[in-house]
Amino acid sequence: MNSRSDRESSTPKYSMDELKVMNRRDLTAASECGTRVTLTEKNWSAVVSLLERLCSMLDMILATLAALLTKPDAEELLGQIERSTQMQLQQLNQTAEQFERQANQMNDRYAAKSNSLLRSSEESLQKLESSTKNTLRDMTSETRAQINELIESVRKWLTRLGMTSLLLLVVLGIIFGIVMLRKL
């Protein structure tokens, strides 16, 4: 008899469905023996072909079975996936917490700098306001002193000139006022 490797090399490769159809056909042919005691060549070759194809199907089933995932393998794989997912979730939570801490620190620094800048701006504005008030007060005092000196000078000059000069100035002022009114 042929060994299995000889049989595999001589048997063409068929799909599982093709093998099933061929098996049914050969099974039907093999079962048509009738009541005779002798087997015909046709019956015998159908039985041999059927056995060869059944061996090929068994080899295919065994190869497929080896590639299938067993329940313990599947449980182990799911356990690995679950552990990996939990680790990634923990890392994600840690990253989120770190991001939140950094955001809070940046917010605190920004608030502190903003408050410092606001206080500095307020102090500068207060100094500017105070300086401006002092400058205006000094200018007002100087202007008043100069006006008072001017008035005093005019008074002295008028007293020297006497009343005629005053009358002349009043007349000139009236004439000047009339000329200005006509221009308008």
Side-chain angles (χ1 to χ4, degrees):
M1 286 261 159
N2 293 341
S3 69
R4 185 175 183 175
S5 63
D6 290 341
R7 190 177 56 233
E8 287 177 0
S9 64
S10 65
T11 305
K13 298 293 181 186
Y14 296 105
S15 72
M16 185 64 86
D17 290 333
E18 290 173 329
L19 290 172
K20 285 180 185 178
V21 169
M22 293 165 85
N23 287 343
R24 283 190 196 106
R25 186 188 66 218
D26 287 342
L27 194 59
T28 304
S31 66
E32 293 177 1
C33 287
T35 55
R36 290 181 224 140
V37 175
T38 62
L39 289 174
T40 65
E41 181 68 27
K42 176 183 170 188
N43 297 120
W44 183 250
S45 72
V47 168
V48 170
S49 294
L50 176 65
L51 288 174
E52 285 178 352
R53 280 192 298 279
L54 286 174
C55 287
S56 293
M57 287 176 70
L58 182 60
D59 289 340
M60 291 173 77
I61 289 170
L62 290 175
T64 304
L65 184 61
L68 291 177
L69 190 64
T70 63
K71 183 176 179 180
D73 290 341
E75 288 173 348
E76 181 181 340
L77 182 62
L78 286 175
Q80 290 175 354
I81 291 171
E82 182 181 5
R83 286 188 295 276
S84 174
T85 304
Q86 286 176 350
M87 286 176 45
Q88 290 174 355
L89 185 60
Q90 287 175 349
Q91 289 175 348
L92 184 62
N93 285 336
Q94 289 172 351
T95 302
E97 289 171 0
Q98 184 179 12
F99 178 75
E100 184 179 3
R101 280 193 304 274
Q102 288 176 349
N104 287 336
Q105 289 172 352
M106 288 177 64
N107 189 28
D108 292 344
R109 284 194 303 250
Y110 177 75
K113 286 183 179 181
S114 295
N115 288 335
S116 173
L117 183 60
L118 182 62
R119 280 191 297 276
S120 174
S121 298
E122 286 176 350
E123 290 172 2
S124 295
L125 286 173
Q126 287 173 351
K127 287 178 183 176
L128 181 62
E129 180 185 18
S130 175
S131 173
T132 304
K133 282 182 181 179
N134 290 338
T135 302
L136 287 175
R137 190 177 333 113
D138 291 346
M139 287 175 61
T140 305
S141 297
E142 279 184 35
T143 306
R144 279 188 186 148
Q146 288 174 356
I147 290 173
N148 286 337
E149 287 177 18
L150 183 62
I151 290 173
E152 190 59 39
S153 302
V154 170
R155 219 181 264 150
K156 286 179 184 177
W157 182 70
L158 284 178
T159 43
R160 281 189 216 147
L161 288 177
M163 289 305 247
T164 29
S165 299
L166 179 62
L167 187 58
L168 182 64
L169 283 175
V170 170
V171 171
L172 284 174
I174 292 172
I175 293 171
F176 180 73
I178 292 171
V179 170
M180 291 304 284
L181 282 175
R182 284 190 183 183
K183 285 186 180 181
L184 295 174

